[in-house]
């Protein structure tokens, strides 16, 4: 993982997950670029840190997508809940990765 700064994260996305770059830039422009308050930056970084962490690991990203897809197609509420909980745990775990991991 890169340094935990917007600039470093954007550079890492551009280099290793360029398919995310248009959404990253659009979100930055909409939520942060013209803001007079830096309050939204931590939430922005948490979201995109996790998005990048998954995108750089195609197998893990595919696994999370599969869990979410299976949950959306499930007719058993308990199964859907379990699948979404597993996906959520992965999303939270990758958000906590430190630079260099």
């Amino acid at each position: 993982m890169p340094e935990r700064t917007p600039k470093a994260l954007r550079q890492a996305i551009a280099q290793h997950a360029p398919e995310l770059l248009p959404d990253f830039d659009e979100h930055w422009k909409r939520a942060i670029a013209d803001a007079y308050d830096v309050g939204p930056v931590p939430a922005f970084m948490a979201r995109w840190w996790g998005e990048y962490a998954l995108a750089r690991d195609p197998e893990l990203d595919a696994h999370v997508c599969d869990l979410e897809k299976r949950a959306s197609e499930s007719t058993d509420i308990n199964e859907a809940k379990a699948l979404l909980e597993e996906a959520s745990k992965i999303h939270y775990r990758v958000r906590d990765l430190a630079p260099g991991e």
Side-chain angles (χ1 to χ4, degrees), residues 9-19 21 52:
L9 181 56
R10 187 185 186 284
Q11 289 172 339
I13 288 172
Q15 184 175 5
H16 301 288
E19 67 279 4
L21 200 54
Y52 173 68

Side-chain angles (χ1 to χ4, degrees), residues 25-95:
D25 286 342
E26 180 183 328
H27 188 196
W28 177 265
K29 288 176 187 171
R30 183 179 69 248
I32 308 298
D34 293 328
Y36 294 100
D37 178 8
V38 295
V41 174
F44 177 89
M45 285 298 294
R47 176 189 173 202
W48 285 100
W49 191 260
E51 290 287 332
Y52 173 68
L54 285 176
R56 73 182 187 133
D57 185 341
E59 287 182 29
L60 184 58
D61 191 26
H63 177 63
V64 170
C65 287
D66 179 60
L67 291 169
E68 292 168 344
K69 181 178 184 284
R70 288 171 38 210
S72 73
E73 295 171 348
S74 179
T75 57
D76 179 339
I77 189 70
N78 291 323
E79 177 188 35
K81 182 180 175 183
L83 291 165
L84 290 175
E85 285 176 357
E86 185 177 346
S88 179
K89 286 177 185 176
I90 294 168
H91 280 286
Y92 280 103
R93 188 176 75 233
V94 298
R95 279 184 26 193

